[in-house]
Amino acid sequence: MDKSTLFHKVELIDLTVRIFYIMIDRLRQMAIFAKTIDHGSFRGAAGALNLSPSVVSHHISQLEEHLGVALIYRSTRKLALTREGESLLAATRKMLEAAEGELQNLTTQANSPSGELRITLPSVLSQSRLVDQITAFALAYPRIQIALDFSDTQREMIDDGFDIAIRMGPHTKNTATSRNLFQVRRVLIASSDYLAKQPPVKTPSGLANWDWVSLFPVQNTPHEFKDQNGQSVLLKPKSQLSTNDAQSLYRLARAGAGLAIVPEVLAKDDVIRGKVQYVLPEWQLPSLSVFAVWPANAPKHGLIHLALNAFKQAPQNASH
């Protein structure tokens, strides 16, 4: 870039800045002019604006000089508008009303949050009371648009454009960008028809060669069972069937495909009906934490934290 071009651009920027400040001065002068007419005197306007009467008079004089017309007839007792002053006052009132209306809209929006939230969460949580929490949040803030992505395939929060990601996994500590919400109890189940064909067992070790259905990509993860006495058994079964969806995992087991470890919320109704049974219920599995993660740059008083504060009120056990 040559010097003449650079100089021209600097001049243009300088001119733009000067025009901006001139416009600000004119708008200020118009507002003071309208306030003066409203109060009927320079002194009354000065008191309302926390200015001196001489400053109010100066601004109106500057406005008259810029327009090249008289706006106010001054006398010792009162002020009277000229014809030009009446015309400018009408335009100024429209401008101020529009500005005040927009400020009121912004205030209303601040008191009634609006915008969009995109949340990704495991499909199994569609059966939990977290859905009730989200519904209550949506009803409390009708101006917020909420898009839910239920999937047991873990979505990328930033790359896929989500504001909040709800995850399930081992217990985690709360951090600046994550928070535990509640625990999910897991149970070992199988269909009643499948169990009727199997020999009785007393410990999880006796289940190693049974048919299993598992959830990938954790199908090779060992499972730890504990009884009431603290005895622990680590079991790593092999599965013929595996799926990436917890609800299909449960349906396969309910259809008789074998044993499956699932969130209790999926099985409890069928257990009551007798279609499904808990296997070795005296042996417990570790619960899973349901936790939320969000971007580090999320505003502390924005929609993300507003939603998180509502979700943390979710029940401590999603199976209830």
Side-chain angles (χ1 to χ4, degrees), residues 19 25 30 86 185-186 197 204 238 262 271 289:
I19 291 173
D25 285 339
M30 291 170 67
E86 290 177 352
R185 183 169 178 244
R186 296 188 301 160
K197 302 173 185 177
K238 293 183 179 180
V262 299
V271 169
S289 289

Side-chain angles (χ1 to χ4, degrees), residues 26-27 29-41 45 63 72 79 81 84-102:
R26 296 292 176 260
L27 293 172
Q29 290 164 1
M30 291 170 67
I32 291 173
F33 164 68
K35 187 66 70 173
T36 300
I37 302 305
D38 288 342
H39 287 270
S41 68
L63 183 59
I72 300 174
L79 302 176
L81 285 171
E84 291 81 6
E86 290 177 352
S87 178
L88 180 64
L89 180 63
T92 301
R93 290 199 192 286
K94 289 181 181 179
M95 176 195 74
L96 293 175
E97 287 174 2
E100 288 173 358
E102 187 59 33

Side-chain angles (χ1 to χ4, degrees), residues 217-236:
V218 295
Q219 68 268 30
N220 295 319
T221 302
H223 301 290
E224 183 182 20
F225 293 81
K226 285 186 177 180
D227 66 7
Q228 295 178 350
N229 299 320
Q231 183 180 356
S232 177
V233 172
L234 200 63
L235 190 64
K236 188 178 179 181

Side-chain angles (χ1 to χ4, degrees), residues 25-320:
D25 285 339
R26 296 292 176 260
L27 293 172
R28 182 187 299 114
Q29 290 164 1
M30 291 170 67
I32 291 173
F33 164 68
K35 187 66 70 173
T36 300
I37 302 305
D38 288 342
H39 287 270
S41 68
F42 292 155
R43 186 173 299 278
L49 297 170
N50 199 25
L51 300 171
S52 68
S54 61
V55 170
V56 171
S57 177
H58 172 75
H59 278 295
I60 294 177
S61 296
Q62 288 290 311
L63 183 59
E64 290 177 321
E65 182 179 343
H66 169 72
L67 297 174
V69 297
L71 300 173
I72 300 174
Y73 290 129
R74 301 160 175 83
S75 71
T76 56
R77 292 186 178 181
K78 65 177 183 177
L79 302 176
L81 285 171
T82 66
R83 187 172 299 172
E84 291 81 6
E86 290 177 352
S87 178
L88 180 64
L89 180 63
T92 301
R93 290 199 192 286
K94 289 181 181 179
M95 176 195 74
L96 293 175
E97 287 174 2
E100 288 173 358
E102 187 59 33
L103 288 173
Q104 183 62 40
N105 287 339
L106 292 174
T107 301
T108 300
Q109 290 179 19
N111 294 331
S112 178
S114 63
E116 182 180 3
L117 275 176
R118 299 188 71 241
I119 304 172
T120 179
L121 58 173
S123 64
V124 67
L125 293 182
S126 64
Q127 304 295 316
S128 77
R129 288 190 180 177
L130 181 60
V131 172
D132 298 333
Q133 298 291 323
I134 295 173
T135 301
F137 178 77
L139 293 174
Y141 300 100
R143 293 167 58 88
I144 299 176
Q145 303 296 313
I146 303 172
L148 303 176
D149 175 80
F150 284 97
S151 174
D152 281 328
T153 299
Q154 184 166 304
R155 304 290 298 276
E156 292 296 327
M157 184 171 61
I158 302 300
D159 292 346
D160 293 332
F162 291 102
D163 302 294
I164 300 174
I166 307 295
R167 309 292 197 202
M168 291 178 63
H171 179 74
T172 59
K173 293 182 179 179
N174 291 336
T175 70
T177 57
S178 69
R179 178 187 297 170
N180 281 300
L181 300 178
F182 54 90
Q183 300 291 304
V184 171
R185 183 169 178 244
R186 296 188 301 160
V187 292
L188 178 64
I189 59 94
S191 73
S192 297
D193 290 341
Y194 178 83
L195 291 175
K197 302 173 185 177
Q198 307 303 320
V201 293
K202 293 183 178 181
T203 69
S205 300
L207 304 172
N209 295 322
W210 286 29
D211 301 301
W212 284 76
V213 187
S214 63
L215 194 69
F216 69 77
V218 295
Q219 68 268 30
N220 295 319
T221 302
H223 301 290
E224 183 182 20
F225 293 81
K226 285 186 177 180
D227 66 7
Q228 295 178 350
N229 299 320
Q231 183 180 356
S232 177
V233 172
L234 200 63
L235 190 64
K236 188 178 179 181
K238 293 183 179 180
S239 304
Q240 178 189 8
L241 284 172
S242 60
T243 176
N244 67 338
D245 174 74
Q247 296 191 73
S248 64
L249 171 71
Y250 173 69
R251 287 192 291 269
L252 287 166
R254 186 180 63 183
L259 300 167
I261 296 173
V262 299
E264 186 179 30
V265 66
L266 294 180
K268 62 178 184 177
D269 288 342
D270 284 332
V271 169
I272 294 173
R273 298 186 188 102
K275 294 181 179 180
V276 168
Q277 295 181 35
Y278 297 129
V279 180
L280 298 178
E282 64 276 14
W283 290 82
Q284 301 293 312
L285 288 152
S287 294
L288 293 178
S289 289
V290 175
F291 57 96
V293 296
W294 60 90
N297 61 348
K300 290 184 178 180
H301 301 291
L303 298 185
I304 290 176
H305 284 277
L306 186 67
L308 291 169
N309 289 336
F311 299 164
K312 75 178 181 180
Q313 303 301 323
Q316 293 302 303
N317 194 321
S319 65
H320 287 239

